[in-house]
Amino acid sequence: QVQLKESGPGLVHPSQTLSLTCTVSGFSLTNYHVSWVRQPPGKGLEWMGVMWTGGRTAYNSLLKSRLTISRDTSRGQVFLEMNSLQTEDTASYYCVRGFYSHYNLFDYWGQGVMVTVSS
Amino acid sequence: DIRMTQSPASLSASLGEAVNFECLASEDIYSDLAWYQQKPGKSPQLLIYNANSLQNGVPSRFSGDRSGTQFSLKINSLQPEDVATYFCQQYNNYPTFGSGTKLEIK
């Protein structure tokens, strides 16, 4: 069945770089788009960016200067790197699968990984 | 960016009661509107897309509607397992979400 699972450090120091991995199963990254979405504690959801099936990416304009999304299709993994982290980046980070017809409609979500930015 | 405004921020209702959530888009998004349910401590789950299409496996007590740029989600008969926060999201352009409505049992 379709699964997405995020992994990465739970704690990152301010000004450092966050690196997360999303490992997918039950579908191919060449057939479905995968995005990253984050949610600060007790707050709403923010789309961060997408890895399209063809390998191109698009980013939220507010995060674009700090964010890089990449992938390894053979391993079924999508990566997120975000630099210059601040306390406001404390959030649960989700990788999500895009609908077959719309990259920006999300039918499967990972369990999420909580990342705290603190010294 | 397209802004999505949800109301109310929270609501409390009795079991078996009908519940309505509202979501207003800042511009025309046609029917490119989804609703998600997020139970406490869990990831969001897709309930409705295309403003009124039920995702597979979602109970039929959930329904969606559209009137111009105003969207609504209705639960016909509130069940205990419906306690959650509900988010709307537009996918007409780069995706943006509403701030959510937290539903509790009275």
Side-chain angles (χ1 to χ4, degrees):
Chain A
Q1 73 273 29
V2 173
Q3 288 188 325
L4 304 95
K5 187 171 184 179
E6 307 87 349
S7 57
L11 177 66
V12 178
H13 297 299
S15 80
Q16 289 193 336
T17 296
L18 171 66
S19 296
L20 298 176
T21 299
C22 172
T23 303
V24 309
S25 57
F27 68 97
S28 169
L29 295 177
T30 57
N31 291 333
Y32 286 88
H33 315 293
V34 171
S35 286
W36 288 93
V37 173
R38 69 178 180 175
Q39 183 177 36
K43 295 190 177 180
L45 299 156
E46 179 183 40
W47 175 77
M48 302 180 72
V50 59
M51 169 60 72
W52 279 314
T53 53
R56 291 172 60 187
T57 54
Y59 300 109
N60 184 322
S61 58
L62 296 176
L63 301 171
K64 188 174 184 177
S65 63
R66 300 196 288 140
L67 189 59
T68 301
I69 296 174
S70 58
R71 71 178 183 181
D72 183 334
T73 55
S74 64
R75 293 189 173 189
Q77 293 181 323
V78 180
F79 309 104
L80 176 147
E81 276 203 346
M82 189 163 68
N83 58 33
S84 304
L85 253 63
Q86 302 300 321
T87 55
E88 308 88 79
D89 296 311
T90 293
S92 289
Y93 288 75
Y94 297 98
C95 63
V96 299
R97 192 182 83 162
F99 222 56
Y100 65 92
S101 56
H102 293 85
Y103 81 91
N104 47 5
L105 170 61
F106 310 124
D107 60 354
Y108 285 91
W109 294 62
Q111 65 190 19
V113 59
M114 180 64 199
V115 175
T116 301
V117 182
S118 174
S119 54
Chain B
D1 287 0
I2 299 173
R3 289 188 318 277
M4 307 302 294
T5 304
Q6 279 189 254
S7 61
S10 64
L11 70 89
S12 181
S14 301
L15 293 175
E17 189 177 335
V19 179
N20 275 288
F21 307 86
E22 303 289 331
C23 179
L24 177 67
S26 63
E27 60 186 79
D28 192 355
I29 58 170
Y30 305 94
S31 292
D32 296 337
L33 189 283
W35 290 94
Y36 297 86
Q37 176 192 64
Q38 185 176 31
K39 295 183 179 180
K42 300 293 187 183
S43 307
Q45 286 195 307
L46 178 64
L47 291 177
I48 285 175
Y49 62 97
N50 196 37
N52 60 12
S53 297
L54 218 57
Q55 174 68 339
N56 292 341
V58 173
S60 59
R61 64 179 180 275
F62 290 91
S63 64
D65 201 2
R66 172 200 173 196
S67 176
T69 59
Q70 183 84 33
F71 298 85
S72 61
L73 170 70
K74 182 178 181 179
I75 307 175
N76 261 333
S77 176
L78 185 61
Q79 301 300 306
E81 60 267 30
D82 299 335
V83 169
T85 300
Y86 292 83
F87 294 95
C88 63
Q89 178 233 325
Q90 65 78 20
Y91 53 96
N92 184 256
N93 204 321
Y94 289 133
T96 50
F97 296 84
S99 55
T101 296
K102 186 175 183 179
L103 175 63
E104 297 175 332
I105 304 292
K106 195 180 291 182

